[in-house]
Amino acid sequence: MPLTVPVLAAGLSRIAAHMETAADSLNTIDGQLGDGDLGVTMVRGGREVVKALPTLPADVGMALMACAQAFTRASGSSYGTLLATALLSAAKATKGRTEVPWTEVPALLQGALDAMIARGKASLGDKTVLDALNAAIEATTGKDDPAAMLVAAAAAVDATLARMRNEPAHIGRARIFADRSVGLDDPGQVAFREILRGLGA
Amino acid sequence: MKKILNDPFAYVDETLEGLCLAFPQYYERTGGGGRVIKRPGLARKGKVGVVTGGGSGHLPVFTGYVGRGLLDACAIGEVFASPSVEQMVDAMRAADGGAGILRLYGNYGGDVMNFDMAGEMMDMEDVPSTTVRLADDVASAPPAEAAKRRGVAGMIYAFKIAGAAAEAGLDLAGVTRVAQAAADACRTVGVALTPCTVPQAGRPTFTIGEDEMEIGMGIHGEPGVRRGALRPAQAIAGEMLDMLLADRPIASGQRVSVLVNSLGATPPEELFILYRDVAARLTGAGASIVMPLVGRYACSMEMAGVSFTIITLTPELEKYLLAPAECAFWRV
């Protein structure tokens, strides 16, 4: 079965449910380097998205846009804006279609990555969510089974977290604590891992 | 903190509630959380919508300039904070008369990010929109990096001129071109004497000595170019005019308008004292002053200080500047 709005809605509601339990640890991780509200951002964003699910249109692109709008309603944080940017990029690429083949997902994620780089002015290697997303793209390219894609993406994101843990952050608020960020996971990367965990729940 | 308020977290909403109660003929609240102010009634069919947005704490900027011949809608953030993407989308929807939307706002990172995204969302709904950003503060970056400059009081001229062009029936490309020309023709510089206090922070945004002033300070207390002893009005006006005229020289015979603006606490008396020197210097350079503005047009709550904005006029810009317009804070 290809990616349709019912499939999308089911996945988003699993992610939102998972965020309710992952929030505390996300807040703690974020609090070591930032203002400690990343878990709150994800929970509130997830709740707004869940509220939007019953009225999603069948057009995958317009459904993704409604989710992006819902996410921005909850949060003005930069992470929230970046995730909404990713959703909006995929929305533009899928507008007018009710089915999207899974083989196209890595390209949609690549478009999202490019849009996030353009909007957030960070680069690959800065120890941000971008590195995790990039690893997921590399791991899923060429695959067509969603379950296998998810397993590969999760493993690649775990490997990225492990590889970058001992590097300093290069951008954003965490950069101010560059030395302190050595040995700590990037909160944005961890949040992305939690998104994948929720999707697989 | 010495401020008249009930709850710092209700500061913006209670302000908007009172504004609409006082002036229902000009302002109507709409949008998620009531954080959009629009002209009352439906958007006029076939007219380009002119929309802005930004943080609170600057009245009459931004939302005060919603009105006939001015803005159609405004998205409103917390004090000195960007409105959300959703509020900007709501403002654009409220201003949509089917002829497209101009997003006209100041060049600040959060506003740019959110308005760009709101524009992409309107694209998805097949509502075309364009962007013109004000970057008129000459103290905020050197001429070689003019695109990085912040938008300050020059936006009053851009709101007025773009609003008149839209009212006159220009299409989206036309309104955008005129608005860009107005934005490009404005130069502003400010001087701050005292800070202001953001209600939710409860502390002044910066500290400055009783006998000091800071030339070039931004309207949120961003650092300026020179801090020094407070000088007589004539010397302050001279230094500010030097900066403006060095950045954009004025040729003899040039028609200009000039805004001598209070940042909040500085009284009209002091603005008029300064205006004497502004007028003498501009006319001395051979310029003709059209419709000078002296008063409180773009503020930083209770900050003491002033800004000068000069706009060089073409016949087209002058026509739209002088066209009728009306809001609670300004009538032309």
Side-chain angles (χ1 to χ4, degrees), chain B residues 30-57:
Chain B
T30 182
R35 286 300 185 87
V36 171
I37 294 284
K38 63 184 272 288
R39 290 167 67 178
L42 294 173
R44 202 175 95 205
K45 271 263 167 279
K47 188 184 96 65
V48 171
V50 183
V51 166
T52 195
S56 295

Side-chain angles (χ1 to χ4, degrees), chain B residues 93-108:
Chain B
R93 285 194 184 124
D96 181 16
I101 311 280
L102 168 65
R103 301 186 295 265
L104 180 60
Y105 61 96
N107 188 30
Y108 294 90

Side-chain angles (χ1 to χ4, degrees), chain B residues 36-290:
Chain B
V36 171
I37 294 284
K38 63 184 272 288
R39 290 167 67 178
L42 294 173
R44 202 175 95 205
K45 271 263 167 279
K47 188 184 96 65
V48 171
V50 183
V51 166
T52 195
S56 295
H58 303 299
L59 276 175
V61 162
F62 298 80
T63 200
Y65 295 105
V66 169
R68 186 174 59 90
L70 292 159
L71 303 168
D72 294 288
C74 175
I76 300 146
E78 286 296 316
V79 173
F80 296 176
S82 177
S84 72
V85 174
E86 189 201 26
Q87 288 155 355
M88 291 173 175
V89 167
D90 287 342
M92 291 169 76
R93 285 194 184 124
D96 181 16
I101 311 280
L102 168 65
R103 301 186 295 265
L104 180 60
Y105 61 96
N107 188 30
Y108 294 90
D111 293 325
V112 173
M113 192 186 247
N114 289 346
F115 254 130
D116 279 353
M117 190 140 138
E120 288 179 28
M121 288 179 173
M122 295 307 279
D123 285 347
M124 288 285 290
E125 296 180 6
D126 299 318
V127 176
S129 60
T130 57
T131 294
V132 172
R133 294 185 193 109
L134 269 294
D136 53 311
D137 184 351
V138 302
S140 54
E145 296 174 19
K148 290 186 184 168
R149 286 177 173 174
R150 302 181 290 253
V152 283
M155 69 180 77
I156 278 78
Y157 284 115
F159 292 166
K160 174 69 191 73
I161 288 166
E167 209 75 51
L170 269 63
D171 65 10
L172 181 57
V175 173
T176 306
R177 177 185 57 76
V178 170
Q180 188 67 58
D184 291 345
C186 286
R187 294 292 184 281
T188 299
V189 66
V191 60
L193 274 52
T194 68
C196 62
T197 295
V198 176
Q200 293 186 10
R203 242 178 286 108
T205 48
F206 58 92
T207 54
I208 185 165
E210 185 58 29
D211 53 355
E212 284 184 316
M213 64 176 187
E214 184 157 331
I215 299 268
M217 180 164 269
I219 53 172
H220 310 96
E222 299 95 333
V225 292
R226 191 182 76 77
R227 183 175 285 206
L230 183 61
R231 300 165 73 200
Q234 194 168 21
I236 296 172
E239 183 171 352
M240 291 168 72
L241 287 162
D242 286 347
M243 288 175 71
L244 291 177
L245 297 178
D247 201 84
R248 190 172 173 86
I250 290 177
S252 185
Q254 175 68 53
R255 295 175 72 76
V256 302
S257 184
V258 60
L259 163 60
V260 175
N261 171 56
S262 168
L263 294 177
T266 295
E269 284 81 353
E270 294 166 32
L271 302 180
F272 287 118
I273 290 171
L274 289 162
Y275 184 73
R276 296 157 58 249
D277 292 300
V278 172
R281 179 80 171 267
L282 291 175
T283 51
S288 307
I289 302 175
V290 178

Side-chain angles (χ1 to χ4, degrees), chain A:
Chain A
M1 190 168 81
L3 176 59
T4 60
V5 169
V7 172
L8 176 72
L12 288 170
S13 84
R14 287 199 302 275
I15 294 170
H18 177 68
M19 286 304 161
E20 300 280 345
T21 56
D24 277 352
S25 70
L26 269 181
N27 285 336
T28 304
I29 292 165
D30 188 40
Q32 294 172 314
L33 293 169
D35 47 9
D37 64 353
L38 186 53
V40 176
T41 296
M42 297 302 291
V43 166
R44 289 176 57 188
R47 286 179 189 171
E48 288 294 335
V49 169
V50 166
K51 271 193 240 167
L53 295 181
T55 54
L56 288 185
D59 180 325
V60 174
M62 296 310 279
L64 284 164
M65 186 184 74
C67 293
Q69 286 188 339
F71 207 88
T72 63
R73 191 169 302 146
S75 167
S77 83
S78 54
Y79 197 80
T81 303
L82 280 177
L83 282 191
T85 297
L87 289 168
L88 192 57
S89 161
K92 281 194 239 177
T94 53
K95 186 183 175 187
R97 288 191 280 163
T98 53
E99 293 187 356
V100 177
W102 288 104
T103 49
E104 198 179 322
V105 167
L108 293 177
L109 294 177
Q110 184 65 49
L113 178 62
D114 294 343
M116 290 162 87
I117 288 172
R119 182 147 290 144
K121 316 282 184 231
S123 311
L124 289 178
D126 284 346
K127 195 177 178 182
T128 69
V129 65
L130 302 177
D131 298 300
L133 179 55
N134 188 55
I137 293 165
E138 286 175 358
T140 52
T141 299
K143 294 192 168 55
D144 60 359
D145 171 52
M149 291 171 97
L150 187 55
V151 168
V157 169
D158 282 341
T160 301
L161 274 157
R163 177 171 60 82
M164 301 194 92
R165 188 166 296 137
N166 290 317
E167 295 180 19
H170 293 298
I171 195 163
R173 200 168 352 197
R175 182 175 52 86
I176 302 164
F177 311 110
D179 291 339
R180 211 193 301 170
S181 69
V182 172
L184 294 177
D185 287 331
D186 173 65
Q189 292 181 359
V190 176
F192 188 71
R193 183 181 66 192
E194 296 305 326
I195 290 172
L196 296 180
R197 284 183 179 168
L199 207 47

